[in-house]
Amino acid sequence: MAVNRDFAKNYSIGGGEMYVKLPGDTNFRYFGQTESCTLSFSIDKIEHQNSEGSMLVTDLEVTKSVSAEVSIQTADLNPQVLALAFSGEYIETTQTSGTNEEVDLSAVKGGLIYELEKYKVKNVVVTYTDSEGNEQTATENVDYSIDYNFGTIEIANDGVLVGKDIKVTFDYDAYTTGKFTSLNKTSQEVALRFVSKPMQGKPSKTDIFRVTLSLDGDFALKSAEDVQKITLKGKVLKDETRPEGEQFIKKEVLV
């Protein structure tokens, strides 16, 4: 017969949410939907084997170092996640609306794409001067095509505009554009917090005080058969400002 045990079994099944404290933040914010969040530990040991007997035996083992890494996989490619992945930052710029904007392009070449330097363009008119000195209006989707979101014009290879100076007149809407820099914040350090939401088990909170996250593996610019996902990974660093025993990771469980 088994002896009595005075503790309850604590099996855990379920998910949870990740939060992040970005550089300059004093509070956590929601990281975004995560597919998986993993902590992995590694111990580097030094061993000595005694060879004085008939076989080798280990008579000394010393722990040289202990390290931890965190890995996060996400399909929620929000701005803060992408900025961390590319070791950069997210910058928003605002464009006010305007009308009758004119852009002059000289000796345009077929097959090339030219920037209009505005986003969300509309009411685009493209004109050129013909061989007799008369101003003519080019035909969209015959002589050129427009990307109205990003404000570009592509010149047709066999249209009347090839080699000519053209004028592009257009209006544009107010718009906010997000831009990502890359590889200019290579030591971007964050804090992480994982709050479990188990369907079975006790709720817990895990704080990782210092970690430098960066992209691990590939980032698919095009993924036709699956949802785009990225994996961020980083080494857990020591926080000298915290009490001993809580300088790397702190886990709290509601008992």
Side-chain angles (χ1 to χ4, degrees):
M1 183 176 179
V3 299
N4 291 328
R5 299 181 175 94
D6 60 359
F7 60 89
K9 294 180 175 64
N10 185 25
Y11 302 122
S12 183
I13 305 172
E17 296 178 344
M18 182 66 77
Y19 299 85
V20 62
K21 188 187 295 183
L22 298 172
D25 285 351
T26 55
N27 298 90
F28 284 97
R29 66 177 74 195
Y30 180 54
F31 183 91
Q33 189 274 334
T34 49
E35 306 287 316
S36 64
C37 309
T38 306
L39 270 172
S40 58
F41 300 89
S42 60
I43 301 176
D44 184 13
K45 296 182 177 181
I46 299 174
E47 293 184 350
H48 177 265
Q49 291 187 323
N50 190 316
S51 60
E52 292 182 337
S54 59
M55 66 177 65
L56 295 176
V57 293
T58 302
D59 62 358
L60 176 68
E61 182 181 83
V62 177
T63 299
K64 182 180 178 181
S65 65
V66 180
S67 62
E69 284 190 338
V70 62
S71 179
I72 304 170
Q73 186 182 70
T74 178
D76 187 355
L77 305 183
N78 61 66
Q80 67 190 30
V81 167
L82 288 174
L84 286 172
F86 287 99
S87 299
E89 58 186 332
Y90 175 70
I91 303 170
E92 286 189 352
T93 56
T94 301
Q95 166 186 287
T96 57
S97 61
T99 58
N100 295 319
E101 184 80 2
E102 292 185 356
V103 174
D104 294 314
L105 301 172
S106 302
V108 296
K109 296 181 180 180
L112 295 189
I113 296 173
Y114 296 86
E115 306 283 344
L116 300 178
E117 307 298 338
K118 298 292 182 182
Y119 295 97
K120 287 292 184 180
V121 300
K122 60 184 181 181
N123 304 326
V124 179
V125 177
V126 178
T127 57
Y128 65 97
T129 302
D130 64 18
S131 57
E132 297 179 356
N134 298 315
E135 186 176 80
Q136 302 289 346
T137 301
T139 303
E140 184 178 0
N141 296 325
V142 175
D143 302 314
Y144 66 92
S145 62
I146 297 291
D147 184 325
Y148 288 92
N149 283 323
F150 290 101
T152 63
I153 178 171
E154 181 176 358
I155 308 301
N157 282 318
D158 55 357
V160 298
L161 299 180
V162 176
K164 293 185 173 61
D165 297 340
I166 68 172
K167 177 182 291 185
V168 186
T169 305
F170 57 92
D171 304 329
Y172 53 92
D173 292 329
Y175 194 63
T176 299
T177 305
K179 180 179 73 173
F180 295 92
T181 62
S182 61
L183 303 180
N184 65 315
K185 298 286 184 179
T186 53
S187 60
Q188 191 162 206
E189 187 181 293
V190 301
L192 296 172
R193 171 173 289 172
F194 179 74
V195 178
S196 70
K197 295 190 173 181
M199 64 179 77
Q200 168 64 43
K202 298 175 180 178
S204 65
K205 179 181 71 173
T206 303
D207 283 331
I208 305 170
F209 302 109
R210 293 182 61 204
V211 60
T212 301
L213 289 179
S214 59
L215 183 65
D216 182 66
D218 300 328
F219 175 75
L221 292 174
K222 182 177 181 180
S223 180
E225 297 181 356
D226 196 8
V227 176
Q228 286 178 298
K229 298 177 184 179
I230 61 173
T231 300
L232 300 173
K233 185 176 287 187
K235 187 173 290 292
V236 179
L237 306 175
K238 185 177 183 180
D239 186 348
E240 298 279 3
T241 66
R242 301 194 60 81
E244 187 171 353
E246 298 180 6
Q247 294 176 329
F248 294 91
I249 300 166
K250 180 181 178 182
K251 187 176 181 67
E252 298 175 284
V253 181
L254 297 182
V255 297

